[in-house]
Amino acid sequence: MLSNNIWCVIMAGGSGTRFWPISTSKVPKQFQIVEGTDKTFIQTTKSRFDGLVPPERTIVVTNRKYVPQVRENLPDIPQENILAEPYSRDTAPCIAYAMYTILKRDPSAIMIVTPSDHLILGLEKFHKTISFLSEGLHEYDVLVTMGISPTRPDTNYGYIQVDGLPEEGTPIKVKTFTEKPDAELAKVFVSSGEFLWNSGIFIWRAATIRSEMEKYLPQLVSQFTGWEKAIGTPAEEEFIEKAYAGIEKISIDYGVMEHTDMAWTCPCTMGWYDVGTWESLYSVFPDTKKDADGNAVSAGAVMAQNSHDNIVISADKSKLVALCDLDGYVVVDTGSVLMVGPRNDKRLRDFTSGLLKKEYEKYR
């Protein structure tokens, strides 16, 4: 168990639209079962900290419509530790809400902030790094993110340029922090060898991130004026409703990490996957569920002819899914929706934006 002033914050308010039709607005990705396990993403995330941070020091921030699902998935988390956002405003407001809640209870707190929908396969290395960084922050006033060596020029991730040669398990100062560059810039970053992916897992003192938010996000901070008297009282819900009504969407990456001079990273090889795209889901599919042609299958019977590297998911295990001359596609049948499209994230993202049309509302 880590020191008793270390808190874990799980960000669980996303709608997971890129995994439609499996992930919907009613049951988004964090509440879906991780392929090859019997746990949901949020359960897997919480269990990652078992033995490190107790439930009473674990905060879950989610959209208010998902509070019942959080309670169902994580019954050991105290009710007062489930923070309900009235609107989705990205990660900076989410972190601010958790930060003020924690500061009210423990002004000396250290926060570990993590998304609810990532996978980490190397738990031993993860635990070792988390313990090392958390204890080190009792002495150092910095903002730390766990860095991952990039394997491809992916435009879905933030990139961290380090001030020197990155070494496994050794914190190093961040030179630049770029959130989701375009394809050409991502290629330059990866080929240079100077960049790491931002895992989205942050560790810092609550007081430190507060001061940096006050410096770089004054408009957001101003919306929380009066938090000392409101948070943790019957007035909290109304206070948060008013605060969020005046907050614009902004990520912690754009809002703080790209500007602060207090950013450090710790390179860590821990089998990390941000399962945010169909491509990334394909990469974490168990080998036992891939056939000889590379088709990743979670279905009943599948008949595949001259078809390679597809993702095939069917909720109806009694149904035969037949593929012919299909390569690199996603075939998903949820019962109410059948979707067939390329694994390429951008093309699918453009396509699924059509769900905003009124006639498709019931399928979102």
Side-chain angles (χ1 to χ4, degrees):
M1 194 71 68
L2 298 176
S3 301
N4 60 11
N5 72 328
I6 295 176
W7 295 66
C8 176
V9 175
I10 299 174
M11 300 182 290
S15 55
T17 54
R18 284 188 290 180
F19 272 118
W20 182 87
I22 291 177
S23 175
T24 65
S25 59
K26 292 181 180 178
V27 187
K29 182 175 62 170
Q30 59 269 33
F31 306 117
Q32 300 288 341
I33 297 288
V34 177
E35 189 62 45
T37 77
D38 60 355
K39 291 183 176 181
T40 62
F41 276 97
I42 194 171
Q43 288 171 335
T44 301
T45 300
K46 191 270 176 186
S47 67
R48 195 173 298 145
F49 292 90
D50 288 349
L52 295 177
V53 182
E56 60 266 25
R57 283 191 272 116
T58 300
I59 300 289
V60 180
V61 189
T62 190
N63 190 286
R64 62 185 170 195
K65 65 183 176 182
Y66 301 139
V67 169
Q69 287 164 283
V70 171
R71 289 177 180 163
E72 181 182 352
N73 277 257
L74 305 177
D76 59 338
I77 299 295
Q79 183 170 332
E80 64 271 18
N81 284 15
I82 302 174
L83 308 185
E85 295 182 291
Y87 318 106
S88 176
R89 292 292 186 261
D90 217 319
T91 55
C94 167
I95 289 171
Y97 187 7
M99 172 193 73
Y100 288 122
T101 299
I102 292 170
L103 283 170
K104 182 77 177 281
R105 304 184 199 179
D106 182 1
S108 67
I110 290 170
M111 299 168 59
I112 304 169
V113 181
T114 180
S116 61
D117 55 0
H118 291 183
L119 292 183
I120 294 176
L121 305 182
L123 281 183
E124 186 176 345
K125 281 191 174 181
F126 174 75
H127 287 171
K128 182 178 179 181
T129 304
I130 283 288
S131 299
F132 168 69
L133 294 174
S134 300
E135 297 306 322
L137 280 169
H138 286 101
E139 299 180 30
Y140 298 100
D141 200 23
V142 293
L143 306 179
V144 182
T145 178
M146 297 177 76
I148 309 295
S149 295
T151 57
R152 61 189 181 277
D154 199 310
T155 59
N156 292 297
Y157 303 145
Y159 284 75
I160 306 163
Q161 184 182 27
V162 295
D163 193 8
L165 185 66
E167 184 178 340
E168 171 82 13
T170 302
I172 186 169
K173 189 168 178 56
V174 172
K175 186 183 291 184
T176 63
F177 197 108
T178 306
E179 175 66 0
K180 297 181 181 178
D182 61 32
E184 289 305 311
L185 195 53
K187 289 178 183 178
V188 172
F189 287 172
V190 173
S191 62
S192 74
E194 298 178 6
F195 288 79
L196 299 169
W197 280 337
N198 171 29
S199 68
I201 301 172
F202 301 100
I203 307 172
W204 45 48
R205 293 179 185 176
T208 303
I209 190 63
R210 178 187 178 183
S211 67
E212 292 302 277
M213 282 190 168
E214 288 172 348
K215 185 185 300 183
Y216 299 111
L217 292 172
Q219 190 274 336
L220 186 157
V221 169
S222 70
Q223 293 300 121
F224 284 91
T225 299
W227 65 271
E228 299 95 333
K229 293 182 178 180
I231 287 180
T233 75
E236 179 173 336
E237 183 176 351
E238 182 180 356
F239 172 81
I240 291 299
E241 178 79 33
K242 290 180 179 178
Y244 269 68
I247 292 175
E248 295 182 359
K249 283 189 175 183
I250 187 165
S251 71
I252 197 69
D253 311 283
Y254 283 122
V256 174
M257 300 305 290
E258 286 194 358
H259 307 289
T260 182
D261 59 1
M262 301 180 73
W264 284 65
T265 188
C266 185
C268 182
T269 305
M270 56 184 178
W272 170 87
Y273 295 92
D274 174 3
V275 191
T277 65
W278 290 109
E279 287 289 343
S280 58
L281 179 65
Y282 181 85
S283 67
V284 300
F285 241 83
D287 290 340
T288 54
K289 291 200 169 188
K290 288 182 180 177
D291 66 19
D293 292 318
N295 297 304
V297 177
S298 179
V302 174
M303 182 177 72
Q305 178 178 301
N306 193 31
S307 297
H308 309 83
D309 306 325
N310 300 292
I311 297 175
V312 183
I313 299 174
S314 176
D316 185 351
K317 304 306 180 188
S318 67
K319 182 182 293 184
L320 170 67
V321 181
L323 311 178
C324 182
D325 296 337
L326 202 65
D327 292 335
Y329 267 66
V330 179
V331 180
V332 178
D333 185 356
T334 66
S336 60
V337 175
L338 170 64
M339 186 195 76
V340 180
R343 269 170 43 188
N344 180 282
D345 178 57
K346 186 178 186 310
R347 291 171 66 190
L348 266 187
R349 193 168 14 176
D350 292 343
F351 168 71
T352 55
S353 64
L355 288 170
L356 296 175
K357 294 180 180 178
K358 188 170 181 59
E359 61 258 42
Y360 303 130
E361 184 175 2
K362 69 177 181 178
Y363 301 110
R364 291 176 200 162

